[in-house]
């Protein structure tokens, strides 16, 4: 299933995408795509429904972030061998874990705001793992049992704040709109192997990232098990699993960062596509 949230910001309703690409309303069946609504039992009940029996949503509504009510937005740094190489970083011996501000999360096609005075805003196409069952001290063998599904995340980053202003990476990752998520949550039964998904990013139509989850250093199972040792993961929580090579920071000989007016388009096989326009900070 492809589950989504649609409507104006702050007024989103739950829905699903039918086989024809139309949105079907889940209003009255679910309060929202959050918390226990992502449990295996509830997802099984939704899967048993005939999508054609659900009200069709007319028009082309805005898509919101595909899950809400997150407790944790966990991100993993330098988790692709080829991305580590392009940045000149050593291969991590353990996953690099940081948290993205929950205030950064936005819809998959919402505008992304370049922070005031920023000259080093960057993009990162990532596979997002969405938790469906509370996970605490889980094993790698059992890790996928705790997954509701997968989605695309854009781990937008301001590199100066991330690496040149002292302290943790979180500062460069948590600006408003720096966490587009969606367009939908694809339940895990539709993704045969999360370690074999092609992924890409285009900037103004130019292919910049062209990678695969095959080159992850630490796979999805390992990350869930590892993170659950130090952070209790709750239904709706997200683990964004790192990015392949091709980010602006890695362009040689001179990094190329984002500018207002540009358009980002990101996609992962089986998970759809998201598009954001970059706009200047104007407050």
């Amino acid at each position: 299933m492809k589950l989504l949230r649609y409507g104006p910001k702050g007024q989103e309703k739950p829905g699903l995408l039918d086989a024809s690409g139309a949105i079907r309303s889940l209003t009255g069946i679910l309060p929202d795509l959050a918390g226990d609504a992502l449990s295996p039992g509830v997802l099984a009940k939704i899967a048993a429904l005939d999508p054609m029996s659900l009200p069709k949503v007319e028009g082309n509504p805005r898509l919101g972030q595909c899950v809400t009510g997150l407790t944790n937005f966990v991100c993993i740094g330098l988790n692709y061998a080829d991305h580590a190489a392009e940045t000149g970083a050593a291969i991590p011996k353990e996953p690099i874990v940081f948290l993205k501000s929950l205030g950064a999360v936005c819809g998959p096609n919402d505008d992304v705001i370049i922070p005031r005075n920023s000259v080093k805003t960057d993009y990162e196409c990532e596979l997002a793992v969405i938790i469906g069952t509370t996970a605490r001290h889980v094993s790698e063998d059992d890790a996928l049992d705790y997954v509701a599904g997968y989605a695309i995340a854009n781990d937008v980053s301001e590199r100066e704040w991330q690496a040149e202003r002292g302290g943790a990476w979180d500062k460069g990752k948590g600006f408003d709109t720096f966490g587009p998520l969606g367009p939908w949550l694809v339940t895990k039964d539709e993704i045969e192997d999360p370690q074999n998904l092609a992924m890409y990013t285009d900037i103004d139509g130019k292919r910049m990232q062209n990678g695969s989850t095959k080159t992850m250093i630490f796979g999805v199972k390992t990350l869930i098990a590892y993170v659950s040792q130090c952070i209790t993961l709750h239904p709706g929580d997200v683990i964004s699993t790192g990015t392949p090579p091709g980010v602006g920071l890695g362009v040689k000989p001179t990094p190329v960062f984002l500018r207002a007016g540009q358009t980002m388009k990101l996609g992962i096989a089986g998970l759809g596509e998201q598009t954001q326009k970059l706009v200047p900070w104007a407050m």
Side-chain angles (χ1 to χ4, degrees):
M1 291 184 296
K2 295 178 175 65
L3 302 175
L4 53 86
R5 301 173 65 249
Y6 65 94
K9 188 172 183 179
Q11 302 175 45
E12 295 92 343
K13 299 176 181 179
L16 61 78
L17 199 72
D18 70 19
S20 72
I23 297 174
R24 299 284 173 168
S25 174
L26 288 171
T27 300
I29 296 170
L30 292 177
D32 210 337
L33 288 175
D36 291 340
L38 300 171
S39 68
V42 174
L43 293 181
K45 290 179 180 178
I46 299 172
L49 298 172
D50 176 6
M52 304 306 289
S53 70
L54 300 171
K56 183 178 180 180
V57 177
E58 301 296 340
N60 186 29
R62 169 189 173 270
L63 296 180
Q65 64 199 58
C66 59
V67 294
T68 190
L70 290 70
T71 300
N72 298 292
F73 194 141
V74 181
C75 295
I76 308 298
L78 294 174
N79 193 36
Y80 283 66
D82 35 8
H83 172 55
E86 76 171 346
T87 63
I91 299 296
K93 295 181 179 179
E94 295 189 35
I96 296 173
V97 178
F98 61 93
L99 295 175
K100 200 172 188 79
S101 167
L102 299 181
V105 184
C106 64
N109 304 316
D110 289 348
D111 290 346
V112 168
I113 302 168
I114 294 182
R116 184 172 62 176
N117 301 323
S118 169
V119 294
K120 294 185 178 181
T121 297
D122 208 349
Y123 51 87
E124 295 188 9
C125 180
E126 306 203 359
L127 173 67
V129 179
I130 299 172
I131 300 299
T133 304
T134 300
R136 184 184 299 111
H137 294 286
V138 306
S139 69
E140 287 192 29
D141 288 343
D142 296 334
L144 295 186
D145 293 343
Y146 295 83
V147 175
Y150 303 95
I152 304 170
N154 187 355
D155 179 20
V156 187
S157 307
E158 210 297 329
R159 302 300 190 186
E160 181 182 8
W161 278 93
Q162 178 185 352
E164 300 172 31
R165 302 290 294 265
W169 287 5
D170 304 55
K171 291 188 296 184
K173 302 284 191 169
F175 288 93
D176 291 349
T177 72
F178 268 31
L181 185 64
W184 31 74
L185 178 161
V186 179
T187 51
K188 64 182 177 182
D189 58 289
E190 292 198 8
I191 303 300
E192 182 177 353
D193 182 4
Q195 303 307 151
N196 188 25
L197 301 176
M199 53 202 308
Y200 62 87
T201 300
D202 294 344
I203 305 298
D204 287 344
K206 180 180 180 181
R207 184 62 45 95
M208 300 298 292
Q209 290 189 284
N210 188 16
S212 169
T213 57
K214 287 181 179 180
T215 65
M216 279 190 193
I217 299 166
F218 305 103
V220 170
K221 293 180 181 179
T222 299
L223 293 175
I224 295 169
Y226 185 90
V227 172
S228 76
Q229 307 307 308
C230 55
I231 298 173
T232 297
L233 296 168
H234 300 276
D237 282 357
V238 171
I239 301 177
S240 198
T241 56
T243 198
V247 298
L249 178 66
V251 174
K252 302 293 191 295
T254 305
V256 177
F257 296 110
L258 296 166
R259 306 182 307 276
Q262 292 187 304
T263 299
M264 298 182 280
K265 183 176 289 186
L266 300 81
I268 298 180
L271 301 181
E273 189 173 76
Q274 54 175 232
T275 302
Q276 301 102 29
K277 182 180 178 182
L278 291 143
V279 299
W281 186 89
M283 296 182 184

